[in-house]
Amino acid sequence: MGENKQQEQEEHFDVLDKFGHKIGITKARGAVHRDGDYHRAVHVWIFAESTQELLLQRRADCKDSWPGLWDISSAGHVSAGDSSLVTARRELHEELGVVLPKDAFEKLFIFLQESVTNGGTFINNEFDDVYLVTTIEPIPLEAFTLQESEVSAVKYISFEDYRSKLANEDPQYVPFDVNGQYNQLFDVIARRYKGNVETRSLDLQKKLSRYAPVSLNAELTGLTEADKGALEYIIKAARIMDDIFHVQTWYSNPSLRDWLNKNAEISDLDKLKWRYFLINKYPWSCIDENEAFLTTADSGIKLLPEATKPVTGWKGLEYRSAFPAEKSPCANFYPPDMDKREFELWKDSLTVDQTLEATGFFSVIKRQSELDSDSSKCRNTAVNSTLPHDLYVVPYSQEYKTFLVKASELLRRAGDMTDTPSLKRLLHGKADAFHTNDYYESDIAWMELDSKLDITIGPYETYEDAIFGYKATFEAFIGVRDDKATAQLKLFGDHLQVLEKNLPLDNVYKSEDVFAAPIRVVQLLFNAGDVKGPQTVAFNLPNDERIVKDRGSSMVMLKNVSEAKFKLILRPIADVCISKEQQHHVDFDSFFTHIICHECCHGIGPHSITLPSGKKSTVRLELQELHLPLEEAKADIVGLWALKFLIDKDVLPSSLIKSMYVSFLAGCFRSVRFGLEEAHGKGQALQFNWLFEKGALVLHEDETFSVDFDKVEGAVESLSRKILTIQAKGDKDAAYELLQYYCQMTPPLKMALKKLEMVQVPVDIAPEFPIAEQILHASR
C-alpha cells in the first residue's frame, strides 16, 4: 500500500524520441532514469546586463547530486503534460521566488546530456531547454526567496570568470563542458555585448541598401467624393492590420517595435535598427534566411516592481522583453515549445468539427497551463477543455478583439459613407467578420467587388505559420482600379477551364468546374500588415478551399509595384546575368503577363483532393508546411506552360514566346535573392535547378545565362506534371524529396547572386505612400 502511494506521488515525465519529440508515453521519474528514456528539463540563467554577471545558486546540502556546489540560476525537469516554458517560469518562482512573464525568457539552445552514473543504475538522457533572462541591473540578493530544500545561497559572478572556473574544473562548481555544446551560453553573451558599433552600423546600412526606396502614387480623380471620404477610415483600419501582424509573428514583437521607435533618434545605429525593422516588421531579416539582425539586448525594457520581495530603495526588477535568435516556425500561432507530434496527438483526440477549428485559418492554439489568472474566460472557448491535453483553440475574434473592434468600427463607418454598393457590402461584411470570425460571406463580397476603390483587408496568407501552414496573417491593400488594364486582362479568366482541361496531369485529377478568376488591376496607394520584406506584385485570394471549390478565386495585380520592380530590379538583373544576345527579350509586358498567369494558375490544378484511401482532403492539409513553396513553384511553372498553350491557341501573340522565357529566367535570380527560407525563393530555386538540369537554361563562359528555346518547353511541361501530380495525390513524401533535392543554392545560382551583389542591384523595393500620409495628416 505504501509503495503504491509512493509510485502515485512520484513525478512522471513525457518520454521523448531521440530527436526530442513526445511519443505519447509517460513514465515515473525513477523508471525513466532506470531505462535511459529521453526526457526534457529546463535551465534558466539570469544575466545582469549592466555588470555582465550571471546569477548562480548553491545547491542544498541535502541534494542527492552535486550537493553544496554552485550551479545554474534555476533548473528542473519538465513534468508530464507540462511545457518547457511553463516549467521554466515555475522553477524560477519556486526556487528563487522570482515571478516573470513569458516574454522575459529567451530560449538560447537545446543541450543534450547523455550520461551514466551510480554504477550504471542512473541513466540520464536529457534534452535541456536553455533559457536566458536578461535583467538590467543585478537583483539584490535579499530580494530572493530561496527554496531551502533546493537552494542554500545565491551569488552573481562575471560570465567570463564563471566560464574560466568551469574550464579549469573548479571543484566548487557543478561541471559543464565549456568546450562543447554548453559554450553557446558564453558565446551568445560575448557576441551580444562586445560588438563594434561602427561595424554593426555598416552591416545594417548594407542590408538597407538592398531595398530601393520608391514613392507609389495613384490617381484619385476617378473616385466619387463619398469614396474619397471613406478612404480616410479605410486607411486607419488598414494600419491596425500592422498592429495585429506584429502580435502574430511573436508575442514580444510589439514591445520591440515600440522600444525601437521610441529610441530611434538616440544614435545613428538606433535609427538604422528602426528603419530595417520597419521593412521586416520583426527582428529577423526576410532576405537573409530569417537571420536575426537584432538581439534581446536591443529590445524594450520592462519594470516589474512585484517580481520579487520588495527591497528598500530598489524600484524593482527591470528586464529585457526577449525574442529568440532563431525565428520560431510556430510564430505566435502556437505555443513556442509545441512540436508537430504534440499537436497531432491532441488533434487525434478531437471531433471532426473541433479538428476543422484547430487546423483552420482563423484561430490560434494555446496551452491551458499558460493561462494567466485574468484570462480564465479563455477556458470556455477551448474546444477540448475536458480532454487530458494541454492545447486548446482561441478564435481570432477573441485573440485580437481589442484591435478588431476598432478596425470594425472604422470599416463600418467607411461603409456607411461610400456610395458604391459593392464596396459598401464588402466593408460592412468585413466589419461583421471581425466580430464573428466567419469570413465566408465577406470574402465572396471581396470577389464580387466592382468599385473604383479597391480594398483587400483581413486574414489571408499563411506563410508565417512555418510549422503547418494553417494560420492566416492579417494584411491590407488599398488601391485605385486601372479600368483600361483590367479590361485588357479579362481573357485570362475566360480561359481557366480550358487550361484546367489541358493541364499536363492525368485526367482523373482534373476539375470539371473551375471558375474564371476575376482580375482587377490596381494602382497601390497603401498597404499594411503582412507586407514585410519583399513586396508582392499580385495576389490570388481567398485561400479558403471552401470558397475556391464553390466560387473559384479572384486576382489583384499591383501594376505600379510591378513597374517599379521591373525598372529598378529586373532590368538591371538582366543586364548582369542574361547573355547579350537575349537581353532584348526582357521586357515589362512579358514580365507582367507572366505575373498575371502565375496568379491565375493558383486557381487551377488540385485543391480539394481524394486520397488513395478514399478520404476527402485538401492539398494544404496533406502537404502542410511544404504546401506553400510547392504551390508557388506550381503557379510559376504552370504559368509558363499556360502562356505557351494560349500562344499556340492564338489567344496571345507569338511574339511573347521568347520574351516570356527570358524574362522568367531574369525573374529567377530576383526571387531566389529573397532566400530559401521564403516560399517564393524556395519555389524559384526548384524551378531554376530543374530547368538547368534539363539543359533548358545554359551557363556561358562569361558567367551569363540564356534560354535554350528547343529544350525549355519540354522541361517546363515535365516539372508542371511532377508538381501537379504530387499535389493531386497529397504525397508529402514526394513533395519533401523534390524540394530537398532541388531547393538548393547551387553553384550557378551562387555565381549569379555574387555578381548581382558586386554591382549592388537592389533585391527589392521599399515603398512609400505619400497620398495615404497626406490623407492621414489632414485628418489629424
Side-chain angles (χ1 to χ4, degrees), residues 619-676:
V619 178
R620 180 179 70 91
L621 287 175
E622 294 306 314
L623 299 190
Q624 296 180 335
E625 78 280 5
L626 305 182
H627 168 59
L628 285 174
L630 204 65
E631 177 61 23
E632 290 302 329
K634 179 209 84 173
D636 244 4
I637 204 71
V638 174
L640 275 183
W641 168 87
L643 287 175
K644 180 62 168 61
F645 177 86
L646 294 174
I647 290 169
D648 290 343
K649 297 297 181 183
D650 295 325
V651 176
L652 293 173
S654 59
S655 59
L656 271 176
I657 290 181
K658 290 185 176 180
S659 60
M660 73 180 189
Y661 288 129
V662 182
S663 296
F664 167 82
L665 172 57
C668 283
F669 303 122
R670 181 181 73 87
S671 295
V672 167
R673 297 174 86 199
F674 300 158
L676 299 192

Side-chain angles (χ1 to χ4, degrees), residues 76-90:
H77 286 100
V78 178
S79 299
D82 276 355
S83 73
S84 167
L85 188 54
V86 167
T87 301
R89 294 173 67 186
R90 185 185 61 240

